[in-house]
Every structure is written in C-alpha cells, then in structure tokens.
Amino acid sequence: MASEIHTQSSTSFKSIYVLLCYFVFAGFSVSGAEDSSLKGKVAPIKGEINTSLNEFGISLSEDGNTLYYYSKRKNSNYSDLLKSVKTKDGWSSGVEISELNSQYDDQSPFIIENEKAVIFSSNRDGSIEFKLGNGKIGVSRDLYFATMKDGSWDKATRLPQEVNTPAIEENPFLAGSYLFFTRYPFGKVAESDIYISEYKDGSWRKAIRMESPVNTEHAEIAATLSRDSKYLYFSSNRPGGYGGLDIYKVEIKEDGTFSPAVNLGPVINSPGDEAFYTETPDGKNAYFCRLVKEGGNYDIFEFSLNEWEELKKNKKISLESIHFRTGSFEIEEESFEILDRLVSFLNENPSIKLKITGHTDLHGDLSDNLELSRNRAAAVKDYLVKKGISVGRFTTDGKGSKEPIYPEKNPETDRKNRRTEFQILE
C-alpha cells in the first residue's frame, strides 16, 4: 500500500524537500499578510454539481475531467464521497462512490492522478479510539488509502500512526512523496493546523506541524499545491482577511525560501468562508469551495482568469487553451468561451490591434505543420471577425513546429507547444 502511494504522482516537486526544511524548522513569522488580488471572474461551477446541500472538500483529477468531493445528502446521518464528470455543458450531478463510502463520515477525498488511487478522511470502524473527558469512548477521523483495480475501488486501508492520531486528520493533499493534511484536537476545529509527512524508504515519517507563515495561532486548513509547484495554497481565519476563512498562498522560491502569506484578494475571498483552492491542469483557472453565509451550505465555485487583461499588461500572451480538432484548423467548441471573452476585450479597447500566431507540436512534417499553424491563426481571426471585430485589426502568422517552448515529444510538452500567441501591435 505505502509503495503505491509513493509512486502515484507525475508532478515534479524539486523544491519540496527544501520547502519541508524551511517550513518545519525556520520558524518564520508573518508581519501582516500581503494582498495579491487575482483578476478574473468567479461564478458557481457550471452544470448540476451544486445542490441545496453542502458540496465541500474538492479534488480534481490530473486531466481535469473528474471532480471528487463530499456531501451529507438528505435522509443521511453521515457524509459521503461523491464524484462528478465534466461534460460539454458543465459538470454532471454528483454520484455517490459506494465502494469507498461507509456507514460513518467519509470526507475530503484526494484523487491521485486520474483515479489510480485516493486518500480520504473517515471515522469508520478501525479508526483510532480514545477516551473522552466524560469517560465515553470517542472515535477520531483518520486518513485512509485505496487503489483502483479493474475499474473498481479496492478496500480502503488506514494510514499508520505516523500520520493518524487520536486527533482529527482530514484534507489530504499528496505532492510527490509528501503528504499535507489538516489536524486538530477532537471537537476543537478552531485549533486546526496543517501538517506534513514524508514517505521515505518504504514508510511514512512522523507528521510535523508546519511553521509560520503557514500555521499561526489561528485556524489553518486544506493545503493544496499549484500545478507548477511554485505556490502552496491554504485557508486561514487569521486577522486581515475579508471574512471567515480566506484563501492564502506562499511562494516557494528556487533557493528554498518563501514569501510571506499572501491573501488572494476580494475576487476569491468574500465575507464568508473559502477553502480548497484547486487549479485546473493549465494552472490558469481554479475551483474552490465557498460558504456565502453562516448557517448556509458550501458550494463549488470556479475562478476564470482574465487572460486579456494580462495581454494588455504584458503586450503578449501564449494560450494552449484554444483547441482545434486533431490535424485540422476547425476550432473546438470548448474554445468559444475564451474567444468570446477576447471579443468583449477588443470591443472595450477599440484601439488595440493584434497579431495572431499559431504553433504546433513537434510531431509530423515540417511543411505540413507550418501550413496548419497558419490556417489555425487565420481561423481564430475569422471567428473574431464573424463576431463583429474589424478585419483590419488583425494580422496572422504561423510558425509550425519551428519555435517550440520545449524540445521534447511527450503529452505534456506537446500540449504546451500547441499554442496560439496574441501580441498587441503598437
């Protein structure tokens, strides 16, 4: 079981070991968290996933097409794990994961890769028992691990005592061989802190409480890592926020040092609670959970980056999120939304003219790739013109496979090399 956990991640985390040393031993202090407001749009996630009940504790598969979370449904005394699948119209309604759920509370799932394995929190039979002050026996919520075999979830196994204790363990996030999670004493959610455990030489090391700027004397929960491994996100109710639990981030620098905690700002954070900031595969958009008002229910929200404000700021951006049919210059329907936002941007900025440049991956014939990239750039221009933007505001070009971002051929680098660049012409 443990060896499987160790291997279930394809993301590169070259700074994690140094990160561990700094966060655990450096004892840095936070003198007023900075605010780094994200620019973009927040709205309830599309589709049928949100209900009148709680949707909380989200985890996104590596390909971005499956979302796990937990909820307590009507006529149920316990919370259950659910999953939803992305469709062209949004997200499907949640389906209970019967193989993983028990007759107790099952919560905060973390999907490893594309459902190869999962870690979640539960107080099912087999969880650590302890004696309460009144002499009664209490049951903690512990972290459990299960693998997918032949399309079905195998029996879940509790992680060892180096991770699990009589306290509550929840909100797991596996980053390479490092497991981040939340821990707090039974019944004392206000004392939540984020812990980290390393899997090494076939076993888990004793979990250690992370120091400032992650943990403070206030509550901290739900650590997640950015797709590029440069940022650690978490929620906290420390002073200086916009409401209850706000989402913060710390930057993991190349030399192993890190920034003070940064509040993501009022677009993400509200007077209510926010948690579980989960980036999409391209690292540009994100999903998170929000409690709008006390006494209400958590729903899942989506943050969409305003790419075109970035274009205005930097004069040039490169997007891999504009998709075409394989070997074709026909634009996929899923790309219409981002292009429609470009139409709005151009209408709001009538003096801006753009150069549109297409790029392909490294597969195929050089001359064919060159022609394909030019046709794709022209197809983007044609779409914008049909939406009412003057044709005289565009020039197009194609570079084929001559200017790759990465010189390798694999699914990840292919996706990044297949891109459309937009440059503001002075």
Side-chain angles (χ1 to χ4, degrees):
M1 178 269 294
S3 62
E4 290 173 310
I5 289 184
H6 183 54
T7 59
Q8 302 301 330
S9 178
S10 63
T11 312
S12 172
F13 298 101
K14 63 182 181 180
S15 299
I16 291 292
Y17 179 74
V18 183
L19 163 72
L20 173 66
C21 295
Y22 270 83
F23 274 123
V24 171
F25 302 115
F28 281 75
S29 61
V30 182
S31 54
E34 299 177 10
D35 187 309
S36 179
S37 298
L38 293 177
K39 308 297 183 184
K41 180 180 71 172
V42 164
I45 193 171
K46 293 179 181 178
E48 302 175 351
I49 191 169
N50 285 326
T51 69
S52 60
L53 303 167
N54 274 313
E55 282 77 36
F56 195 52
I58 60 173
S59 177
L60 188 66
S61 62
E62 190 174 273
D63 61 13
N65 293 326
T66 306
L67 194 65
Y68 275 46
Y69 56 100
Y70 75 91
S71 178
K72 183 181 288 187
R73 296 311 201 194
K74 291 180 179 178
N75 303 318
S76 175
N77 293 322
Y78 302 101
S79 54
D80 288 319
L81 307 181
L82 292 91
K83 69 178 284 187
S84 181
V85 177
K86 193 173 187 180
T87 70
K88 63 182 181 66
D89 299 318
W91 290 86
S92 66
S93 58
V95 176
E96 293 184 18
I97 308 169
S98 58
E99 303 129 289
L100 293 177
N101 289 324
S102 67
Q103 297 301 311
Y104 300 90
D105 283 321
D106 301 302
Q107 300 183 356
S108 53
F110 175 78
I111 315 174
I112 298 172
E113 295 190 20
N114 295 316
E115 298 182 277
K116 287 188 175 181
V118 65
I119 305 173
F120 62 96
S121 177
S122 179
N123 62 352
R124 62 184 59 197
D125 285 342
S127 298
I128 296 174
E129 297 181 351
F130 59 96
K131 185 174 290 188
L132 295 166
N134 58 11
K136 294 184 178 180
I137 299 298
V139 180
S140 68
R141 253 199 342 268
D142 293 334
L143 296 183
Y144 285 78
F145 172 82
T147 57
M148 179 78 80
K149 292 184 179 179
D150 300 323
S152 298
W153 287 109
D154 201 3
K155 183 180 178 181
T157 304
R158 184 170 58 86
L159 295 187
Q161 62 184 5
E162 285 76 13
V163 174
N164 288 314
T165 68
I168 301 296
E169 281 85 25
E170 58 187 14
N171 313 151
F173 187 97
L174 186 66
S177 57
Y178 292 89
L179 180 65
F180 299 87
F181 62 93
T182 305
R183 176 185 288 169
Y184 58 89
F186 186 85
K188 298 180 180 180
V189 182
E191 298 180 20
S192 298
D193 282 319
I194 295 170
Y195 281 71
I196 185 170
S197 176
E198 180 189 9
Y199 184 82
K200 188 174 183 180
D201 299 329
S203 61
W204 288 101
R205 299 295 176 91
K206 184 177 180 180
I208 301 172
R209 177 184 179 274
M210 299 182 75
E211 297 293 342
S212 174
V214 175
N215 287 318
T216 65
E217 66 270 26
H218 303 279
E220 280 80 30
I221 70 167
T224 65
L225 201 70
S226 64
R227 293 282 177 165
D228 61 9
S229 308
K230 292 181 179 179
Y231 298 97
L232 186 75
Y233 299 102
F234 59 93
S235 292
S236 175
N237 64 354
R238 64 189 64 187
Y242 293 88
L245 287 168
D246 277 9
I247 299 174
Y248 291 80
K249 69 177 181 181
V250 290
E251 180 184 2
I252 308 166
K253 299 179 181 180
E254 286 291 328
D255 62 358
T257 62
F258 50 87
S259 70
V262 172
N263 189 297
L264 294 192
V267 172
I268 299 293
N269 294 312
S270 71
D273 291 339
E274 285 79 25
F276 294 97
Y277 191 83
T278 304
E279 290 186 347
T280 53
D282 62 10
K284 295 177 181 177
N285 299 333
Y287 303 108
F288 63 95
C289 300
R290 173 180 283 176
L291 178 66
V292 176
K293 62 180 179 179
E294 189 173 351
N297 292 298
Y298 278 96
D299 281 327
I300 303 171
F301 283 72
E302 180 176 6
F303 168 73
S304 301
L305 179 70
N306 191 333
E307 303 91 346
W308 310 116
E309 288 300 322
E310 290 296 310
L311 170 63
K312 192 173 182 180
K313 177 182 176 181
N314 299 317
K315 307 301 182 185
K316 184 177 182 180
I317 61 171
S318 179
L319 299 179
E320 61 205 55
S321 50
I322 297 176
H323 300 134
F324 301 86
R325 296 192 183 279
T326 303
S328 167
F329 53 88
E330 182 181 351
I331 301 173
E332 294 274 15
E333 185 177 344
E334 64 191 61
S335 303
F336 293 169
E337 183 178 357
I338 189 173
L339 291 175
D340 289 342
R341 292 203 296 270
L342 176 55
V343 170
S344 298
F345 172 80
L346 292 171
N347 283 328
E348 293 166 3
N349 298 273
S351 64
I352 285 180
K353 295 182 178 182
L354 289 180
K355 180 179 180 180
I356 305 169
T357 304
H359 298 265
T360 70
D361 58 35
L362 297 174
H363 299 275
D365 180 79
L366 286 175
S367 60
D368 289 345
N369 284 341
L370 184 62
E371 181 180 4
L372 180 61
S373 66
R374 289 172 176 170
N375 287 335
R376 286 179 170 178
V380 171
K381 180 198 73 174
D382 292 343
Y383 182 92
L384 300 172
V385 170
K386 287 178 181 178
K387 291 289 184 174
I389 308 300
S390 171
V391 68
R393 295 176 67 180
F394 304 108
T395 63
T396 64
D397 195 7
K399 300 296 183 180
S401 54
K402 294 189 296 183
E403 297 182 2
I405 297 175
Y406 297 98
E408 301 92 10
K409 295 179 183 179
N410 62 62
E412 179 65 17
T413 58
D414 291 345
R415 179 174 63 82
K416 293 185 178 297
N417 287 331
R418 289 191 301 266
R419 66 198 191 278
T420 306
E421 288 182 349
F422 298 85
Q423 181 178 1
I424 294 179
L425 299 175
E426 302 295 342

